[in-house]
Amino acid sequence: MSALHGESTVGSALVKRGLADMLRGGVIMDVVNPEQAKIAEDAGAVAVMALERVPSDIRRDGGVARMSDPQMIKDIQATVTIPVMAKARIGHFAEAQILQALDVDYIDESEVLTPADEENHIDKWGFTVPFVCGATNLGEALRRIGEGACLIRSKGEAGTGNVVEAVRHLRTINAQMRRLASADAAELFALAKDLQAPLPLVLEVAETGHLPVPLFCAGGISTPADASLVLQLGAEAVFVGSGIFKSEDPVRMANAIVEATTHFADAAVVAKVSTGLGSAMRGAETATLETRLAERGW
Amino acid sequence: MRVGVLALQGDVREHVSMLASLGVAAPLVQQPGQLDGLDGLIMPGGESTAIAHLLETSGLREPLAERLAQGLAVLGTCAGLILLSTTVTDGRSDQWSYAALDVAVRRNGYGRQRASFETELDVVGVGRVPGVFIRAPRVESTGQNVQVLAEHDHGDGPCPVLVRQGAVWGASFHPELTGDSRIHRLFVDSI
């Protein structure tokens, strides 16, 4: 046996997407300081999203929401052994460059922050660190993948504690993929036009029946039952933002959502972990919202 | 033959597909009773801290330890290798592992995600296979009963990346993420 002195390639589509594959079946938790990051890791989170304010606080405080202070991201990286993600504003490639220089494990080009470009998203192909982007429908998901996103999360409506938009977006993406899978070859061109999505990606989804990258769910998940719901609807993992650290007992809630995500199809387990949890975050009816974050991104 | 796939978290589906392509039944293991009647087990890639946590909450930790002590054939990739190792460095202060494979591994020993890489490996008895390393554990030492089946030189000397001690196999990389099923074939043929 000899060790090959072959070439090593970093930043390939396979290794970028591969990290998303490793996170499947897990829970990614928003954390605003090292203490919360530790709680998340203790509870079995597969990754943390480091940010200065959880979405519900961003909603409450208003103002421009930007990338977090690098010091805060470094402190969290020093605290946990699991992957650390961080958010850049839509189109703000300089923030993304900074996050890559900080060695974060995934960059979320996120509608939760105030967009920096109202026409263009970041050209994500030029980065070694992989990107996750939100989507409300299949066309949006495929446009992001066309720009180099290696993981898609349905957007939901962040900071509301209300799962209704997450369900809408997941169901929409899945229904549109089923439509492609059942279309005949001639219809796919018009469907690509309707979706405003790159034709090669439309053809790929029509062939395989699923996205070429993993599909996770975000935005409004705040109970173990919510996690079970979206996983049964086809999400492969969940992002939980305000839902954990805005609940009455974050440690128990974090543990319960992790267990419910693994055993999402076993209602007895979900029932057990849902019992005596204390109150979930208060939440908001989406009809009363002043700002719909999911509408950001194009 | 039945080779279970530990399905608490991680890239379970890819291992199931690999086994299916080899004509091997691959039941998912999420509860202790599901270990019964298995000829082998694959512990997939994922986050080792999350999988370790879920092994405890699901009640699988001790029953799996017993099966390992009885000589169950097992292949761990990435996080699975970490969970099988004797010594884990750069982990959580309370990180535990099964000590079924006499190797010392360093978590994220090749660096964070930006350093994740693809390369080609030369595997004993197989030949060249693609090696996909994602926040991979680095094997820093091996006991005398451990057979090294592949090494990779990351510019600082060769390190074992595929190891075997009797029925227990560990890979730093992810053969399941490629279209090449020869590592899985090697494991299955050994059972």
Side-chain angles (χ1 to χ4, degrees):
Chain A
M1 178 191 60
S2 60
L4 292 177
H5 292 265
E7 304 286 300
S8 287
T9 312
V10 298
S12 67
L14 186 55
V15 299
K16 288 160 117 179
R17 190 213 136 131
L19 181 57
D21 288 323
M22 296 312 138
L23 303 177
R24 294 203 323 251
V27 182
I28 300 144
M29 301 184 190
D30 278 3
V31 297
V32 300
N33 56 45
E35 293 71 34
Q36 289 187 354
K38 185 72 171 50
I39 289 171
E41 187 179 65
D42 287 348
V46 291
V48 291
M49 178 74 71
L51 73 178
E52 267 164 12
R53 292 177 289 170
V54 294
S56 62
D57 288 338
I58 291 173
R59 275 187 190 289
R60 190 198 59 205
D61 298 348
V64 175
R66 311 180 179 91
M67 179 190 77
S68 298
D69 185 327
Q71 187 59 51
M72 174 269 201
I73 294 169
K74 287 181 189 173
D75 290 344
I76 288 173
Q77 286 173 320
T79 302
V80 295
T81 64
I82 55 180
V84 175
M85 303 185 175
K87 291 181 191 289
R89 283 179 267 178
I90 289 173
H92 206 314
F93 53 84
E95 284 188 347
Q97 288 162 353
I98 292 167
L99 293 175
Q100 174 160 286
L102 291 170
D103 232 353
V104 305
D105 294 292
Y106 241 93
I107 298 170
D108 184 1
E109 186 181 16
S110 177
E111 70 282 3
V112 168
L113 305 184
T114 309
D117 188 328
E118 294 193 335
E119 287 182 20
N120 308 294
H121 282 248
I122 297 170
D123 173 4
K124 293 165 271 287
W125 292 111
F127 287 78
T128 307
V129 171
F131 279 74
V132 51
C133 288
T136 60
N137 58 56
L138 182 59
E140 198 175 358
L142 296 181
R143 288 195 295 278
R144 297 296 85 78
I145 294 166
E147 295 156 2
C150 297
L151 169 61
I152 294 295
R153 54 174 173 74
S154 57
K155 280 182 179 172
E157 191 57 37
T160 61
N162 188 340
V163 79
V164 65
E165 294 300 312
V167 169
R168 187 191 321 280
H169 300 156
L170 267 181
R171 281 200 181 274
T172 300
I173 292 168
N174 283 325
Q176 290 173 324
M177 289 198 290
R178 283 195 296 271
R179 173 74 186 94
L180 290 187
S182 65
D184 76 24
E187 292 174 317
L188 290 171
F189 303 98
L191 286 168
K193 184 194 73 177
D194 293 344
L195 289 169
Q196 298 178 44
L199 182 62
L201 291 173
V202 168
L203 297 177
E204 186 175 344
V205 172
E207 177 76 25
T208 65
H210 54 76
L211 293 181
V213 305
L215 173 62
F216 292 2
C217 179
I221 296 161
S222 50
T223 66
D226 288 347
S228 171
L229 175 68
V230 299
L231 279 136
Q232 292 187 61
L233 286 171
E236 298 179 282
V238 293
F239 286 86
V240 183
S242 323
I244 288 169
F245 291 100
K246 292 292 177 185
S247 70
E248 186 182 337
D249 186 344
V251 172
R252 285 197 63 188
M253 185 62 81
N255 276 280
I257 291 179
V258 166
E259 230 176 309
T261 299
T262 290
H263 302 283
F264 70 89
D266 186 339
V269 173
V270 183
K272 187 188 79 179
V273 302
S274 300
T275 305
L277 264 186
S279 55
M281 68 177 284
R282 185 166 179 282
E285 178 67 51
T286 44
T288 64
L289 296 178
E290 286 178 20
T291 307
R292 292 277 197 130
L293 300 176
E295 290 171 1
R296 295 171 169 174
W298 13 90
Chain B
M1 186 185 303
R2 285 161 56 83
V3 176
V5 180
L6 185 67
L8 298 173
Q9 189 274 312
D11 68 338
V12 174
R13 189 173 63 220
E14 287 76 5
H15 281 293
V16 171
S17 304
M18 278 286 173
L19 291 170
S21 77
L22 298 173
V24 176
L28 300 183
V29 176
Q30 294 187 314
Q31 302 165 11
Q34 293 166 335
L35 288 169
D36 297 343
L38 294 182
D39 302 298
L41 179 73
I42 289 182
M43 297 171 73
E47 278 307 314
S48 63
T49 56
I51 296 172
H53 177 86
L54 289 159
L55 280 164
E56 301 214 39
T57 59
S58 64
L60 270 164
R61 180 176 172 177
E62 289 309 320
L64 178 51
E66 284 168 27
R67 289 301 308 270
L68 287 167
Q70 291 161 8
L72 179 70
V74 56
L75 165 64
T77 64
C78 198
L81 164 64
I82 294 169
L83 286 160
L84 291 168
S85 299
T86 302
T87 308
V88 180
T89 48
D90 282 356
R92 287 167 55 89
S93 55
D94 60 351
Q95 183 131 6
W96 59 272
S97 54
Y98 281 112
L101 187 53
D102 189 11
V103 297
V105 298
R106 182 175 298 281
R107 286 189 59 201
N108 303 327
Y110 294 94
R112 303 185 71 97
Q113 174 61 17
R114 189 158 55 139
S116 292
F117 63 97
E118 279 185 68
T119 190
E120 205 173 41
L121 303 170
D122 187 11
V123 176
V124 171
V126 173
R128 294 196 169 196
V129 301
V132 183
F133 293 76
I134 296 170
R135 286 174 48 96
R138 191 191 279 247
V139 176
E140 295 192 320
S141 67
T142 57
Q144 58 182 10
N145 295 323
V146 175
Q147 187 184 0
V148 177
L149 297 171
E151 292 182 327
H152 168 68
D153 186 341
H154 210 57
D156 48 8
C159 266
V161 293
L162 179 64
V163 292
R164 174 183 184 185
Q165 182 176 1
V168 182
W169 299 61
S172 293
F173 59 102
H174 293 281
E176 72 279 9
L177 287 185
T178 69
D180 190 322
S181 61
R182 287 177 294 165
I183 302 287
H184 286 76
R185 163 67 69 194
L186 201 61
F187 170 65
V188 165
D189 284 349
S190 76
I191 299 174

